[in-house]
Amino acid sequence: MTSFDLTGRSAIVTGASTGLGNGIARALAAAGADILMVDRAPREAGIDEIKGKGVRTVSLLADLSRQESIGEIVSTAIREFGKVDILVNNAGIIRRAPAIDFSEKDWDDVMNINTKAVFFLAQAAARDMMKRKYGKIINIASLLSFQGGIIVPSYAASKGAVAQVTKALANEWAQHGITVNAIAPGYMATNNTKALREDPVRSKAILDRIPAGRWGTPDDLQGAAVFLASAASDYVNGHVLVVDGGWLAR
Ligand code: NAD
């Protein structure tokens, strides 16, 4: 299974301090990649396990709502590892309020981190990847790339955009040896879904629809992440891979 091996590859993972990004960072490290773990918050978990894998991990505190962070992230990865082979655009936020009351700030904050930063970090990473005609970009989409959700209008808009930007970049950059794919996680137990899991009515309604009968965990994304980060997926491009315990099939 050498096509899944990431030895000698270097990866940037945003939102790597906790949740799905932390699970993805651990998976890429276990497959052999060096990791630049980017987050605006200090690490919650996972670094010791990654260090045990014999790969290098570097942490960078950066706020993706600031455009200046984009260049800093890519230049740090190049300074530390010499190149960027893999970018996982994972960091994201959600704001919940009825559409009729939704504020401009909740619209702009979500769109800036979930969509604008995804595009411009991909652009900055691709400029380095093109030099070697090799790169793997993975954007984290959502079930709300396909569905409208409930009281999360800017989140649904931002994740619909992530799916479309993924395809747009795949079309342009395949000729440069870069694949651009997305993972659409289902309902996963992280800070992002704490409010939903604590609401007994919503929590039951969600669980009732998941054929797997449970919330997903960060570990559930590991296989998809390593696949899309590795040579095993070289002919997969512009795809949104749903990892949802069967939710969309119902
Ligand atoms: P989380 O809230 O547990 O983790 C998100 C991480 O991103 C945090 O470490 C946070 O500090 C970081 N982050 C947020 N804003 C940032 C910024 N401006 N700059 C730098 N870092 C920032 O959430 P999660 O569930 O792990 O979500 C990860 C991704 O998966 C997000 O894009 C989210 O939309 C997506 N997603 C989550 C679910 C789910 O059910 N949890 C489902 C579908 C998609």
Side-chain angles (χ1 to χ4, degrees):
M1 302 304 279
T2 52
S3 61
F4 290 89
D5 186 10
L6 298 181
T7 304
R9 299 294 182 198
S10 69
I12 297 170
V13 181
T14 67
S17 284
T18 185
L20 305 184
N22 192 267
I24 290 168
R26 283 187 281 113
L28 301 187
D34 294 326
I35 316 281
L36 179 67
M37 300 177 71
V38 178
D39 210 294
R40 68 178 169 188
R43 286 184 305 270
E44 275 183 21
I47 193 73
D48 293 336
E49 187 187 335
I50 292 173
K51 283 207 164 127
K53 304 290 180 193
V55 299
R56 285 189 64 213
T57 58
V58 175
S59 293
L60 177 68
L61 278 178
D63 181 352
L64 287 159
S65 67
R66 294 171 58 248
Q67 192 70 6
E68 312 85 84
S69 299
I70 302 292
E72 187 193 354
I73 291 166
V74 172
S75 61
T76 302
I78 293 171
R79 190 178 66 239
E80 294 288 340
F81 305 132
K83 59 185 176 152
V84 182
D85 295 313
I86 300 159
L87 166 66
V88 183
N89 264 315
N90 163 81
I93 60 169
I94 192 164
R95 298 277 167 80
R96 294 185 172 86
I100 202 73
D101 299 322
F102 212 76
S103 69
E104 185 178 1
K105 178 167 172 37
D106 283 347
W107 181 270
D108 288 343
D109 287 353
V110 171
M111 295 300 286
N112 280 341
I113 294 165
N114 293 13
T115 302
K116 184 178 172 185
V118 164
F119 174 78
F120 283 103
L121 191 51
Q123 180 192 63
R127 285 177 178 154
D128 181 67
M129 292 168 173
M130 280 178 192
K131 293 176 192 159
R132 292 173 306 284
K133 289 194 82 60
Y134 182 86
K136 296 276 177 183
I137 297 175
I138 304 169
N139 298 323
I140 303 303
S142 167
L143 294 177
L144 300 196
S145 300
F146 310 99
Q147 302 179 304
I150 300 171
I151 64 163
V152 287
S154 62
Y155 186 82
S158 73
K159 293 298 185 177
V162 166
Q164 292 304 96
V165 162
T166 298
K167 295 170 212 170
L169 299 183
N171 288 339
E172 285 199 43
W173 296 346
Q175 64 185 310
H176 300 291
I178 299 170
T179 64
V180 189
N181 292 291
I183 297 172
Y187 285 87
M188 318 297 277
T190 68
N191 295 337
N192 174 294
T193 52
K194 192 165 178 284
L196 288 182
R197 283 177 291 118
E198 287 173 352
D199 176 338
V201 177
R202 287 283 284 127
S203 178
K204 182 176 182 321
I206 287 166
L207 269 179
D208 282 348
R209 186 180 156 159
I210 302 174
R214 64 172 177 84
W215 289 75
T217 71
D219 285 355
D220 286 317
L221 295 188
Q222 297 201 338
V226 172
F227 171 59
L228 293 177
S230 68
S233 62
D234 277 353
Y235 202 59
V236 178
N237 214 346
H239 185 64
V240 183
L241 176 54
V242 178
V243 182
D244 68 347
W247 169 282
L248 274 191
R250 193 160 271 195

